[in-house]
């Protein structure tokens, strides 16, 4: 994919110059730091193979969007990852519904699908929405029919392992669904399995892309859409500044516009670690419903924000200590620790 936009001249040559080129906090004009010499990809912790493939493809001069989407396709197609794509945990009716979005920095374009059934690789459908429609987002049956029109196969995405886990949940219902009884509305209920993959890529030409894809919250109310397909929440890419993806409680990321906030923080001069920490602090501040608070008055859920700046610097941050993220900067992919707000 070719950029239709002319790129601004870079201000610095090396990484040091790039760091210096990042604007002061009040400078609203985005200044492009120099991109790194080699491609970089970062991802949620389930993305070791994804980042590896993304960097391999970017090294072969593949477009950054194609590279990150090819990367997450590995996890979408893997039945063992029960939080993404094929084999993901279903909604409360036992039907797998998937969410995904992608953004291509150079063309400032985005594509998204939400609540799509029967299609194994929702990120590919999001990419088709970006490339082959005049829209950004398709949902439900419309998204499914659009995928079929493009030759994708309808398949049953519910694996036996996911069905058994769902059945166990179903048999133990009562206080574990989203239909809150008056008592639950006050006291909350047990956390359920979550998971997602987000993958960001940057090449030496300074071109950025990102993708986020998930089966969403396990046993959700049919039709529930999380942050993963929402541009600005589960993903945001600004080719002048950087990119951010999110995993964790989608409702909190939607309400805070989490990824967009992190990219704007970097635009105003924060490094990626400071940018994600500030994004998380805002989520904590906006969590006031007692149902969502633990005994210390802190969120009883997790959110992880992943940031990749235009100069190749990166960080990820979680509300609580102990999370990691995947990185590939040219060698093998590795896991690095996230910065965090609270030890516990
Ligand atoms: N963010 C996803 C959602 O809310 C779930 C997750 O990442 O765990 O659908």
């Amino acid at each position: 994919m070719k950029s239709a936009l002319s790129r601004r001249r870079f201000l610095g040559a090396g990484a040091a110059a790039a760091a210096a080129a990042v604007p002061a906090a009040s400078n609203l004009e985005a200044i492009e730091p120099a991109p790194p010499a080699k491609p970089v990809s970062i991802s949620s912790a389930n993305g070791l193979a994804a980042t590896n493939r993304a960097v391999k493809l970017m090294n072969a001069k593949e477009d950054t969007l194609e590279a990150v989407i090819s990367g997450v396709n590995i996890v979408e197609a893997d039945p063992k990852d029960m939080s993404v794509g094929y084999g993901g945990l279903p909604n409360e009716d036992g039907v797998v519904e998937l969410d995904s979005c992608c953004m291509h920095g150079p063309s400032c374009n985005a594509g998204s699908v939400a609540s799509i059934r029967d299609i194994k690789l929702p990120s590919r459908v999001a990419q088709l929405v970006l490339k082959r429609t005049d829209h950004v987002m398709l949902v439900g049956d419309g998204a499914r029919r659009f995928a079929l029109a493009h030759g994708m196969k309808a398949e049953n995405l519910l694996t036996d392992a996911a069905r058994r886990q769902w059945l166990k949940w179903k048999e133990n219902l009562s206080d574990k669904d989203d239909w809150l009884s008056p008592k639950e509305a006050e006291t909350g209920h047990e956390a359920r399995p979550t998971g997602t993959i987000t993958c960001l890529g940057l090449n030496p030409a300074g071109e950025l892309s990102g993708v986020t894809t998930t089966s969403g919250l396990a046993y959700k109310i049919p039709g529930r859409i999380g942050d993963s397909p929402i541009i600005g929440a589960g993903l945001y890419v600004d080719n002048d500044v950087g990119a951010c993806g999110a995993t964790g409680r989608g409702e909190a990321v939607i309400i805070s516009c989490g990824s967009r906030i992190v990219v704007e923080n970097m635009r105003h001069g924060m490094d990626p670690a400071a940018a994600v920490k500030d994004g998380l602090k805002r989520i904590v501040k906006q969590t006031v419903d007692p149902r969502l608070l633990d005994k210390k008055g802190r969120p009883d859920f997790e959110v992880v924000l992943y940031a990749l700046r235009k100069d190749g610097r990166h960080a990820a941050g979680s509300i609580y200590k102990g999370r990691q993220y995947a990185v590939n900067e040219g060698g093998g992919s590795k896991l690095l620790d996230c910065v965090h707000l609270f030890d516990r």
Side-chain angles (χ1 to χ4, degrees):
M1 212 180 302
K2 267 257 151 72
S3 164
L5 304 175
S6 63
R7 239 175 275 123
R8 274 185 253 164
R9 271 188 301 128
F10 297 133
L11 290 186
V22 174
S26 61
N27 188 349
L28 294 179
E29 175 66 17
I31 300 172
E32 291 184 8
K38 289 199 244 157
V40 183
S41 176
I42 74 165
S43 173
S44 38
N46 52 353
L48 285 171
T51 48
N52 204 32
R53 183 183 279 181
V55 165
K56 221 178 237 167
L57 287 171
M58 287 190 281
N59 274 329
K61 302 275 179 280
E62 186 55 85
D63 177 75
T64 51
L65 184 65
E66 177 58 32
V68 293
I69 289 180
S70 290
V72 300
N73 286 164
I74 299 172
V75 182
E76 288 177 319
D78 179 1
K80 285 194 232 89
D81 190 315
M82 293 174 92
S83 69
V84 178
Y86 176 60
L89 288 170
N91 66 19
E92 67 178 21
D93 292 342
V95 180
V96 180
E97 288 179 335
L98 304 175
D99 294 339
S100 179
C101 75
C102 63
M103 260 189 110
H104 183 243
S107 58
C108 304
N109 207 354
S112 161
V113 287
S115 234
I116 187 171
R117 299 178 174 192
D118 301 337
I119 308 291
K120 205 175 198 169
L121 307 178
S123 65
R124 286 289 175 197
V125 193
Q127 185 184 28
L128 277 170
V129 173
L130 183 155
K131 281 171 129 174
R132 302 286 293 271
T133 75
D134 189 31
H135 308 314
V136 168
M137 191 165 194
L138 295 179
V139 305
D141 192 48
R144 180 180 176 280
R145 283 190 282 131
F146 171 76
L148 297 180
H150 276 278
M152 293 185 174
K153 260 198 320 176
E155 305 173 57
N156 178 13
L157 305 182
L158 187 68
T159 57
D160 232 39
R163 184 190 54 76
R164 280 197 303 272
Q165 202 160 312
W166 164 77
L167 197 59
K168 194 168 156 208
W169 168 82
K170 189 112 178 124
E171 286 168 350
N172 289 287
L173 264 176
S174 74
D175 64 338
K176 291 182 182 166
D177 58 10
D178 285 320
W179 304 97
L180 299 175
S181 66
K183 186 165 169 273
E184 277 178 292
E186 275 173 20
T187 58
H189 50 56
E190 253 178 59
R192 296 203 302 272
T194 55
T196 292
I197 181 166
T198 183
C199 187
L200 312 173
L202 168 67
N203 68 15
E207 294 170 337
L208 280 153
S209 286
V211 60
T212 302
T213 178
T214 189
S215 51
L217 179 71
Y219 325 131
K220 58 196 172 190
I221 296 176
R224 177 265 187 188
I225 292 169
D227 59 319
S228 306
I230 309 286
I231 301 297
L235 179 72
Y236 198 74
V237 178
D238 183 324
N239 216 60
D240 287 348
V241 178
C244 179
T247 63
R249 182 178 161 82
E251 285 72 10
V253 180
I254 293 173
I255 286 168
S256 61
C257 299
S259 291
R260 168 82 178 177
I261 287 284
V262 170
V263 171
E264 288 305 297
N265 282 344
M266 293 194 284
R267 181 193 303 283
H268 298 312
M270 286 188 200
D271 66 35
V276 294
K277 273 187 142 182
D278 177 73
L280 293 166
K281 281 182 191 160
R282 293 187 190 212
I283 288 173
V284 171
K285 183 120 201 286
Q286 288 177 310
T287 306
V288 294
D289 187 337
R291 195 169 55 78
L292 297 172
L293 298 173
D294 66 11
K295 287 191 188 96
K296 292 184 182 164
R298 295 167 176 174
D300 74 347
F301 56 81
E302 184 61 287
V303 168
V304 189
L305 299 172
Y306 310 80
L308 175 59
R309 199 169 67 179
K310 175 94 173 178
D311 60 358
R313 287 185 66 184
H314 50 79
S318 48
I319 298 179
Y320 294 103
K321 190 177 175 177
R323 296 281 169 157
Q324 293 190 304
Y325 70 110
V327 181
N328 189 304
E329 293 172 298
S333 294
K334 58 186 180 219
L335 290 174
L336 296 181
D337 288 339
C338 293
V339 295
H340 60 275
L341 296 185
F342 306 123
D343 283 351
R344 263 289 165 194

